[in-house]
Amino acid sequence: MTFHLDEFLPYRLSVAASQISRRFAARYAKEAGLTIPEWRVLAHLDHSGAVSVRDIHARVNLDKSMVSRAASRLEKAGFLRKSGHDTDRRLIVMELTPAGRDLMARLGQVATGFQAELLSELGEDAAALDRALRQLASRG
Amino acid sequence: MTFHLDEFLPYRLSVAASQISRRFAARYAKEAGLTIPEWRVLAHLDHSGAVSVRDIHARVNLDKSMVSRAASRLEKAGFLRKSGHDTDRRLIVMELTPAGRDLMARLGQVATGFQAELLSELGEDAAALDRALRQLASRG
DNA sequence: ACCATGTCATTGCGGATGCAACGATCATAA
DNA sequence: TTATGATCGTTGCATCCGCAATGACATGGT
């Protein structure tokens, strides 16, 4: 009846997550050397259009400071553009430049391909994993 | 056909993992303020008996340096004892003290309870999640 | 015995990360 | 209007983490 870390869900989840992140990072490293926060910001902006730091912070599970720093790096690299909000001057409005959308188009390909690969490895358990992740993520 | 981060497995896995880690950390914070590496070392030592840093490093998905530092903190806190190996003096043999086993007994309760809670939340998808995590973790 | 190579634990270091200020700006109510 | 409190993005800081280098020790071949 002794406790086994190998069978402990939080541990296994954490190991699997970092494993998969590594695999994916190896793929997109060939397209662009982005960090994970940069990748998330890029991906979110691509389909959200022009939004604020706070928006991304709330939807992408990144601290405000992470979003801010990642955005600054992406700006310096020419992938995104910041501008002020028309009526609320506290807000920063960010959107991708053409170069940013271009990069995301290529990374989206890589990501979609990788996802397909994972799903085929998972086989018939994929649907259950989907439900399980949704359930686990729902409890704040 | 635009890419959606919300449906991307590596992202969702990462979010779920940190979510669950937070929930669990909140539980065991009441028993002892351990970091995750410390918790992993403690848990592993509890059922492995006396082993070396390298042993833990290999089995618990922690960098050697992490294991080393976590072990030092646990030693200072009185939960583990280091000693030299009889014949190979490069090796450090680590094992829990009675206080360490005592702490682990309590934390094991917490962990087991938390695991049961998670499994009941997952319902019938638990078995598939188990297989999926095993599959995802297997590809180095 | 001697040397080259390999393994072990620790330590330094750079970068990443989360949290808590901070200054600037807005919203609300008296 | 003014004052109070909330919200926004940025920055400082302390910590955490991974990688590489280090020094101590062991092993195998000659």
Side-chain angles (χ1 to χ4, degrees):
Chain A
M1 274 306 282
T2 151
F3 176 78
H4 258 245
L5 193 59
D6 299 347
E7 294 158 9
F8 190 48
L9 218 48
Y11 169 68
R12 295 178 59 201
L13 213 47
S14 158
V15 170
S18 53
Q19 203 95 347
I20 297 301
S21 279
R22 273 179 201 287
R23 280 178 65 185
F24 180 53
R27 304 293 179 90
Y28 70 59
K30 289 160 190 164
E31 289 290 334
L34 296 183
T35 67
I36 288 183
E38 285 160 10
W39 150 254
R40 288 191 189 174
V41 169
L42 188 76
H44 182 70
L45 278 178
D46 188 53
H47 79 277
S48 74
V51 294
S52 69
V53 169
R54 182 185 161 288
D55 262 305
I56 300 183
H57 157 62
R59 298 194 114 284
V60 158
N61 213 256
L62 283 179
D63 189 78
K64 283 188 307 176
S65 58
M66 285 289 103
V67 176
S68 175
R69 290 192 247 255
S72 294
R73 290 192 295 265
L74 289 174
E75 183 186 30
K76 187 177 298 180
F79 295 130
L80 86 77
R81 178 177 52 241
K82 296 182 185 178
S83 53
H85 191 277
D86 289 343
T87 68
D88 189 338
R89 293 196 312 201
R90 293 172 303 180
L91 301 180
I92 296 274
V93 178
M94 303 183 301
E95 55 185 338
L96 296 186
T97 63
R101 279 192 296 276
D102 200 64
L103 173 61
M104 186 57 208
R106 279 176 289 147
L107 289 182
Q109 297 282 350
V110 175
T112 304
F114 185 58
Q115 169 106 303
E117 203 172 301
L118 289 179
L119 290 179
S120 98
E121 286 174 15
L122 290 170
E124 55 186 4
D125 291 329
L129 175 63
D130 183 81
R131 287 192 299 272
L133 289 181
R134 205 178 307 279
Q135 167 62 31
L136 291 177
S138 69
R139 308 241 167 179
Chain B
M1 273 305 283
T2 152
F3 175 78
H4 257 246
L5 193 59
D6 299 347
E7 293 158 10
F8 190 47
L9 219 48
Y11 168 69
R12 295 178 59 200
L13 214 47
S14 158
V15 170
S18 53
Q19 204 96 346
I20 297 300
S21 279
R22 273 180 200 287
R23 278 177 67 183
F24 180 53
R27 304 292 179 90
Y28 71 58
K30 290 160 191 164
E31 290 291 334
L34 296 184
T35 67
I36 287 183
E38 286 161 9
W39 150 254
R40 289 191 188 174
V41 168
L42 187 78
H44 183 71
L45 279 178
D46 187 52
H47 79 275
S48 74
V51 294
S52 69
V53 169
R54 182 185 163 290
D55 262 305
I56 300 183
H57 156 62
R59 299 193 115 286
V60 160
N61 213 257
L62 283 178
D63 189 78
K64 284 188 305 177
S65 58
M66 284 290 102
V67 176
S68 176
R69 290 191 246 255
S72 294
R73 289 192 295 265
L74 289 174
E75 183 186 30
K76 187 177 298 180
F79 296 130
L80 85 77
R81 180 175 51 239
K82 297 181 185 179
S83 52
H85 191 276
D86 288 345
T87 69
D88 188 338
R89 293 197 311 202
R90 292 171 304 178
L91 301 181
I92 296 276
V93 177
M94 302 184 301
E95 56 185 336
L96 296 186
T97 62
R101 279 191 297 274
D102 200 63
L103 173 61
M104 187 57 208
R106 279 176 291 147
L107 288 181
Q109 298 283 351
V110 176
T112 305
F114 184 57
Q115 169 107 303
E117 203 172 303
L118 289 179
L119 291 178
S120 98
E121 286 174 14
L122 291 170
E124 55 186 4
D125 292 329
L129 176 63
D130 183 81
R131 288 191 298 272
L133 289 180
R134 205 178 307 279
Q135 166 64 30
L136 291 177
S138 69
R139 308 242 167 176

